[in-house]
Amino acid sequence: MITREHVLRTALSISAIQEGDGGVPWPEGHVDAWNHVECLMAMAVAGLRDEVERGYAWLAAHQREDGSWPMKLVAGEAVERGGETNHAAYVAVGAWHDLLVTEDLDAAHGRWGMVKKALDYVVDLQTPRGEIVWERDAEGHPSGYALLTGCSSIHQGLRSGVLLGERLGDPQPHWELAADRLANVLRNHPEAFADKSRFSMDWYYPVLGGAVRGDLAFDLLDKEWDTFVVPGLGIRCVSDQPWVTGAETCELVLALDAVGDRERAGRLFADMQHLRHEDGSYWTGWQFVNRKHFPHERSGYTAAAVILAADALSGFTPAAGLFRDIPVSGQTSPSLYGERS
């Protein structure tokens, strides 16, 4: 199992790539709000407060008037100007996580305006059926479709925002209603989403994001287990390639832990440790036919997912139950996709 010292070394590998303005980039050099927030959450687990505060300052500096962030920024400049809804929603997850870790109400109040603008941007893009389209493009036009993975993450963002608002004395019931409607679509209307089923994220994210719990969650996870899980290595990023990835594996660990399946969660977490580098960072993935790291990079978002999974399994911080404790609305349908197996 990963120790606190391991967590700190991994968090330091994230802080080492943090840019001067506070952004935490992908290996390719761009920053997006979702992965940036995940890296801030990981550094918060390790207690790297200065780095976390710089990261939230980056978010405040780059949020647009409509509440969104540019899809990609390089050196502080937008290179893709559309605004993804799941990027905006995840800022609420980060703010709620940070309050759980620190109990710093002053900091949470300082971020509350940013969170409110972000989640109102998200809710404004909800359709009458309940799904939330994936972006508003650079010209301000809403996308014509929604993504299951993105909406699952948005569900967690809305639930986190509701909890944060209640804690700060500023409840937002319209977010709770939006989350309930979104959860219903995630459980009952697969036709609402573009088909991305070759990606493992579309398999486990309804559980990770809290829309699916109980027997339905186990049915969903068992349905594609053999498709994506490679024993001893982790899980595939896509079903049709011999390629396991650390971030997806750790997200599945979090999903399993969230529904109480700690045995499989712990086993998968141990399996993916072959991706750990001696400096505490993590390779993004492993191509197990060619037996090569692919892509040949160590990514901050992979390190961040490892830290969040380690916290969930070991309880290093008061935020260890972040994914486990997502409030769940009633589940009335017998299955997510068709009849239960």
Side-chain angles (χ1 to χ4, degrees):
M1 189 57 67
I2 296 293
T3 66
R4 288 182 182 273
E5 178 60 30
H6 289 128
V7 165
L8 177 58
R9 291 190 66 197
T10 299
L12 289 171
S13 78
I14 299 172
S15 69
I17 63 172
Q18 189 173 27
E19 297 174 336
D21 65 355
V24 185
W26 287 56
E28 304 95 306
H30 74 270
V31 183
D32 73 55
W34 198 103
N35 285 278
H36 173 82
V37 167
E38 185 179 40
C39 289
L40 301 188
M41 291 161 63
M43 292 192 290
V45 170
L48 302 183
R49 294 310 309 166
D50 289 346
E51 292 85 346
V52 172
E53 294 302 330
R54 289 172 53 219
Y56 279 101
W58 183 95
L59 287 166
H62 292 287
Q63 187 177 32
R64 297 182 291 201
E65 188 59 35
D66 67 358
S68 71
W69 282 263
M71 196 177 301
K72 291 184 179 181
L73 297 100
V74 176
E77 298 295 327
V79 295
E80 292 190 23
R81 302 192 63 84
E84 290 197 37
T85 47
N86 71 309
H87 289 183
Y90 211 59
V91 174
V93 179
W96 175 239
H97 176 269
D98 208 60
L99 180 58
L100 291 174
V101 170
T102 66
E103 287 294 323
D104 188 342
L105 284 169
D106 288 340
H109 277 291
R111 296 167 188 155
W112 181 230
M114 175 173 67
V115 172
K116 286 176 71 174
K117 286 176 63 177
L119 288 184
D120 283 343
Y121 171 80
V122 170
V123 171
D124 189 54
L125 288 166
Q126 188 165 37
T127 72
R129 180 168 48 188
E131 71 269 26
I132 294 173
V133 299
W134 80 280
E135 70 151 350
R136 191 186 294 278
D137 69 20
E139 286 71 46
H141 304 125
S143 170
Y145 64 95
L147 299 172
L148 189 149
T149 293
C151 280
S152 298
S153 181
I154 290 168
H155 177 266
Q156 184 184 13
L158 290 167
R159 300 293 187 196
S160 296
V162 169
L163 292 169
L164 184 60
E166 291 173 349
R167 182 71 180 277
L168 297 179
D170 188 12
Q172 303 291 311
H174 64 297
W175 297 347
E176 188 163 15
L177 177 60
D180 287 347
R181 294 175 59 220
L182 181 58
N184 176 64
V185 176
L186 286 163
R187 289 195 292 264
N188 301 315
H189 293 283
E191 73 280 3
F193 305 102
D195 182 10
K196 304 287 184 181
S197 57
R198 67 187 285 264
F199 291 89
S200 60
M201 289 189 295
D202 259 27
W203 162 49
Y204 62 78
Y205 247 83
V207 179
L208 180 69
V212 177
R213 288 289 192 261
D215 290 344
L216 187 56
F218 284 98
D219 287 349
L220 175 62
L221 294 174
D222 288 345
K223 184 177 181 181
E224 299 292 346
W225 186 269
D226 292 338
T227 300
F228 290 107
V229 175
V230 183
L233 293 179
I235 74 167
R236 298 174 190 254
C237 178
V238 291
S239 60
D240 55 354
Q241 295 295 325
W243 174 39
V244 296
T245 45
E248 281 81 355
T249 302
C250 287
E251 288 177 338
L252 179 56
V253 169
L254 287 164
L256 290 163
D257 176 76
V259 295
D261 193 345
R262 291 180 64 84
E263 180 181 353
R264 286 197 294 184
R267 185 165 66 247
L268 274 173
F269 190 67
D271 285 351
M272 65 78 58
Q273 294 304 319
H274 66 95
L275 294 172
R276 186 176 179 90
H277 188 270
E278 61 184 10
D279 68 0
S281 62
Y282 280 79
W283 295 98
T284 297
W286 174 252
Q287 217 282 4
F288 54 85
V289 171
N290 295 337
R291 300 188 60 79
K292 292 182 179 180
H293 290 117
F294 176 80
H296 194 75
E297 65 182 28
R298 301 193 299 277
S299 48
Y301 62 81
T302 300
V306 172
I307 291 174
L308 295 177
D311 192 25
L313 294 175
S314 298
F316 294 130
T317 77
L322 179 76
F323 296 87
R324 194 181 311 132
D325 298 336
I326 300 170
V328 183
S329 62
Q331 298 186 53
T332 58
S333 66
S335 177
L336 187 67
Y337 298 147
E339 296 297 318
R340 288 167 68 169
S341 57

